[in-house]
Structure formats: structure tokens, C-alpha cells
Amino acid sequence: MTQEDPVQAPSPATRRARLRVKAKRWWERQSIGVKGLIFSVIGGVAVFAVTNGLVPGVAALIRLLSGSEQHGLIITDEEVVASDRAGWVFEGKAYADLVPAPIQVERQNLESWAQKNGGTAVSQSLWFTLGGRSDKAVDVTKLVPEVSCDPSIKGVHVYDALHLSIIPSNSTILKADGNPPEIEFLDKNGKKIKAPKYQVTDKDKEEVGLSVHAGSHRCAWSVVVEWAVGAEEGHTTRIPEKGHYVVTGSNAATEHWKTDGTLTPDF
């Protein structure tokens, strides 16, 4: 590293891992008397939490002190990609307002171009990898969507003119404005099937892909992964950890344009 190289700040996951290591080392250095005192305090806090609605936070504290945080689920390779074929809606804009015009943008640069112009995706794909923190098996029991919807965005809709032949395969989809919104697993023929059971460790991982779209609403969405380690149930991990992703229906668009500059009034 040269003097000109910027110092990279550690990621949140790295900071949490370092904190866990420090906490574990501190705990191991304490005497039996100190540990007994701490657990007495935790017991009092737990009673207070039950009567005051603070159970989740206390449960996390107990897991940290007991060392069970060394096991459990870890989610990596999280990535959200907009579908060029479904396109974007640019709120309050006309085709002429988009800079540069879509026809001047190379296909591989469409998503960054859409972001710079304030576009909201009509469809997104979320990819993530499920893994364990150790060799102790983690059972992923359910994927639960969290969705909040409003009317679709009004503005110009731009989508990619490219059409590809797609090889039929199993898929996982979420119609964000479904009633109710639920994650569905489909076979190669588009028929609904039972959700697969994922069991992962630090060496045995599973990659999951989820396609999300909205028909006639603007929807903020996220996914809660429910999981268990042995008899310890009720764990959850949210994707994204903070905030949410957004898709919008194209039904309220004022115009529909292909990226090749073709207006499609009968979209």
C-alpha cells in the first residue's frame, strides 16, 4: 500500500466479527464469581424485558455472552439487479428528459444510466448465498416477504428491445403487490411447488435467486429469512439488513419507449 492508497474502513460484518471475538476473549478471562454475577444481572434484565416488551434485544445479548453467536446463518454475495427487459419508470419525466437518450447507452451500462436518471425498476432479481458460521448445520425454514405498496409511479417507461429465448427452469418469484404477497416456487412448467428445504454450514452453501415485480403498484420490499440451529428456533435475518428495495408497475406510465428509440403506444 502506498501513501496515496486510501485506507479501507472495515465492513459492518467485519466489525461485528471483531466485536464477537473481543467479547468472547473478555468472557473467558472472567472468574466464576464475575460470571455468576453477570448471569444474575441478566436474569433480572430478562424479567424486566418480559414485562416491558424487550425480549428480542435481551435474547440477542444472551446469545452473544453464551457463545452461540459463533454458530448460525450468514448471508453473503447479496446483489440486486434490475431487469432490462422489464425496464424502468422515470417519475415525472418524458423521453426527451433522459440524458443521454437511451439509444446512445450500451446495454451493459443501462442500469447505471437508469439510476443516474432516477429510474425505478419494474422488475428486480435478488441473488444471495446462504451459509453457516461454523460446521453446525443451519436449517432455513422460510423466506417471508415484507412489502409496503402505493400507487404506481407516473412517468416515462423505458425498456430494452432485446428478446432472448429462455431455457425453462425452476424459478422463485414474488409479486410484490399480490394479495397476499408471497414468495412462490415454480417448476419448469410454471406450476407452484413446495418451498425447498435449505440446510447449510460454513462449507455447504446454497445460492438463492428471487425475481420480484409489481403489477399495478410501487412497492418497497425486503425478505426475512427464518432459520434455526438445532433446537434453537425463531432466528431471523433480513435482506437488506437496513432499508428496502423498490419496484413499480408500468401501468401508470405516460409513455412506453424501447431503448432503440421506438415509441410503443399499444404496450
Side-chain angles (χ1 to χ4, degrees), residues 5-256:
D5 290 327
V7 177
Q8 294 286 335
S11 67
T14 300
R15 290 196 295 269
R16 288 194 296 270
R18 290 176 180 174
L19 179 60
R20 284 194 295 270
V21 171
K22 289 181 180 179
K24 184 177 180 182
R25 289 175 179 172
W26 177 86
W27 178 253
E28 292 172 347
R29 290 197 301 267
Q30 305 311 305
S31 66
I32 295 177
V34 172
K35 291 180 180 178
L37 177 61
I38 291 174
F39 276 114
S40 296
V41 173
I42 291 176
V45 173
V47 172
F48 177 81
V50 169
T51 58
N52 292 273
L54 302 177
V55 174
V58 173
L61 175 62
I62 293 174
R63 288 197 302 271
L64 177 63
L65 292 176
S66 65
S68 62
E69 284 289 313
Q70 64 185 308
H71 307 298
L73 183 72
I74 184 169
I75 296 178
T76 57
D77 305 323
E78 181 185 329
E79 182 182 15
V80 169
V81 179
S83 167
D84 296 349
R85 296 179 66 195
W88 301 265
V89 176
F90 299 85
E91 185 172 13
K93 293 185 178 181
Y95 185 83
D97 297 327
L98 304 176
V99 180
I103 196 171
Q104 300 173 1
V105 182
E106 295 183 1
R107 182 164 283 115
Q108 63 267 28
N109 297 328
L110 279 174
E111 184 164 9
S112 60
W113 164 83
Q115 291 175 350
K116 291 176 182 177
N117 279 272
T120 299
V122 175
S123 176
Q124 294 173 317
S125 292
L126 168 66
W127 295 93
F128 56 95
T129 300
L130 301 170
R133 296 183 181 278
S134 67
D135 59 359
K136 192 169 184 178
V138 179
D139 293 302
V140 176
T141 55
K142 199 172 184 181
L143 302 179
V144 181
E146 286 188 344
V147 179
S148 176
C149 295
D150 295 306
S152 298
I153 291 173
K154 294 183 178 180
V156 65
H157 173 220
V158 177
Y159 63 101
D160 193 356
L162 179 66
H163 293 280
L164 299 174
S165 60
I166 301 175
I167 300 175
S169 62
N170 291 8
S171 58
T172 307
I173 64 170
L174 166 62
K175 184 179 180 181
D177 55 354
N179 187 21
E182 62 177 336
I183 294 174
E184 294 186 342
F185 296 84
L186 308 179
D187 65 13
K188 296 179 181 179
N189 298 314
K191 293 184 178 180
K192 189 175 180 179
I193 58 177
K194 289 182 63 176
K197 299 296 183 182
Y198 302 110
Q199 187 176 80
V200 297
T201 66
D202 57 345
K203 295 181 175 61
D204 187 10
K205 302 179 181 182
E206 292 278 359
E207 185 180 74
V208 181
L210 173 65
S211 296
V212 182
H213 68 279
S216 58
H217 293 82
R218 173 196 181 278
C219 297
W221 65 275
S222 58
V223 176
V224 175
V225 182
E226 298 182 356
W227 54 275
V229 179
E232 294 183 10
E233 300 179 346
H235 298 278
T236 60
T237 302
R238 188 175 182 274
I239 308 173
E241 184 177 2
K242 297 180 181 179
H244 50 256
Y245 305 115
V246 180
V247 291
T248 186
S250 59
N251 61 299
T254 52
E255 292 179 331
H256 302 274

